[in-house]
Amino acid sequence: MSRTCPRTTPAASLRDATFNVRVEREFNEDVDEDKATRTDPSSGTQVAKESTVTLYISEGSEQRTIPEDLANQSETAARDALRQAGLEVGEVTRENSATIPTDWVIGTSPELGAKVKAGSEVDLILSTGKVQVPDVSGMSRDEAQKALEAEDVGLKAQFVEVETNDYEEGTLFTQSPEASEEAAPGDLVKISVAIPVPEPTPSETPTPSPSESENSDDSESESPSGTASPSPSETRQGKLPPPAKPGEGN
């Protein structure tokens, strides 16, 4: 009996030979799918009429390939594609991604394109739709901007100058969101950049106006010592000796 005959041909031949036929399917790496692989009892064995002979039909290779196009598909579409490939969905985990939408497929385990046994479980890795904010402390402005706007991060940088003497000029010393926090692609990261506190300006003595100068000169001419001059009568009265008391004098 040829192993490459369609499964209906060997089955019909067996029935014509007055055997009862039971069909089973099995994986076979050497025989194409839907072709007869063997019989039990084997071909050439003498058996009684009306005996039951099992005919095995190939399911093809036991190896299945995980579809490579699962990436960037929805979870529902990925599940359907795996079932069609003769595989089962295993665990579902999530990872950050800057380019794949939330709950869409980033990859699988085993990896996309790998060969596995039919019926094997394939774990799905879905996107959280977020990214981890990188630490830009100690970087220059250009370095920080490149790190935040990288393709696998996809954030935007905003630099805010802050007057402080605690850091050298140009130091990036705080950021919001902080490093290792999660953010959605396109979110803004505010970064504080140190600039020196300006030196205080010394105060200057104001120049008096012409009217203030004239008033000051008039005041000085009226009383050099700053005290008003007494009148003649006040002078005379002020310099008279007090009247003598009885018994005093001569």
Side-chain angles (χ1 to χ4, degrees):
M1 179 177 64
S2 173
R3 290 189 174 188
T4 58
C5 296
R7 70 177 181 178
T8 54
T9 300
S13 299
L14 288 170
R15 291 190 182 96
D16 290 343
T18 68
F19 294 122
N20 296 318
V21 181
R22 183 177 66 187
V23 178
E24 298 284 349
R25 301 183 71 86
E26 64 180 5
F27 294 108
N28 191 295
E29 300 297 325
D30 300 320
V31 180
D32 293 340
E33 188 175 359
D34 291 333
K35 304 293 184 180
T37 61
R38 60 190 178 95
T39 60
D40 185 23
S42 61
S43 178
T45 302
Q46 292 185 353
V47 293
K49 290 184 178 181
E50 305 299 330
S51 296
T52 298
V53 177
T54 303
L55 174 66
Y56 290 89
I57 302 300
S58 175
E59 289 275 18
S61 173
E62 191 175 9
Q63 298 295 309
R64 295 288 185 266
T65 302
I66 299 174
E68 295 186 4
D69 60 355
L70 292 184
N72 213 12
Q73 290 192 29
S74 68
E75 181 180 359
T76 301
R79 286 179 177 274
D80 291 343
L82 287 172
R83 290 192 188 98
Q84 291 175 9
L87 302 170
E88 300 293 332
V89 177
E91 294 184 358
V92 176
T93 58
R94 285 172 170 76
E95 292 182 3
N96 291 340
S97 174
T99 57
I100 297 180
T102 305
D103 290 336
W104 284 43
V105 177
I106 296 175
T108 59
S109 179
E111 64 185 7
L112 298 170
K115 291 186 178 297
V116 295
K117 287 185 177 182
S120 296
E121 288 189 346
V122 178
D123 297 336
L124 292 177
I125 304 170
L126 306 182
S127 171
T128 63
K130 294 182 177 295
V131 296
Q132 190 176 65
V133 179
D135 185 1
V136 299
S137 59
M139 296 183 182
S140 66
R141 288 198 189 197
D142 287 344
E143 291 171 339
Q145 188 162 2
K146 288 179 181 178
L148 291 170
E149 296 180 358
E151 186 176 352
D152 58 346
V153 179
L155 299 173
K156 296 180 180 179
Q158 180 182 35
F159 298 98
V160 180
E161 295 182 341
V162 178
E163 294 179 355
T164 177
N165 290 329
D166 295 334
Y167 302 92
E168 292 185 3
E169 184 176 1
T171 300
L172 311 185
F173 62 94
T174 60
Q175 64 182 74
S176 178
E178 296 181 356
S180 298
E181 289 187 4
E182 291 187 342
D187 281 358
L188 201 65
V189 178
K190 296 183 179 180
I191 305 166
S192 298
V193 184
I195 60 173
V197 176
E199 296 292 335
T201 304
S203 58
E204 298 180 357
T205 304
T207 303
S209 62
S211 60
E212 290 175 341
S213 299
E214 290 174 0
N215 292 337
S216 176
D217 293 342
D218 292 344
S219 174
E220 290 177 358
S221 63
E222 289 175 359
S223 177
S225 62
T227 305
S229 301
S231 64
S233 60
E234 289 174 340
T235 302
R236 289 194 300 269
Q237 292 176 0
K239 294 199 181 276
L240 291 176
K245 295 182 180 179
E248 293 182 355
N250 298 331

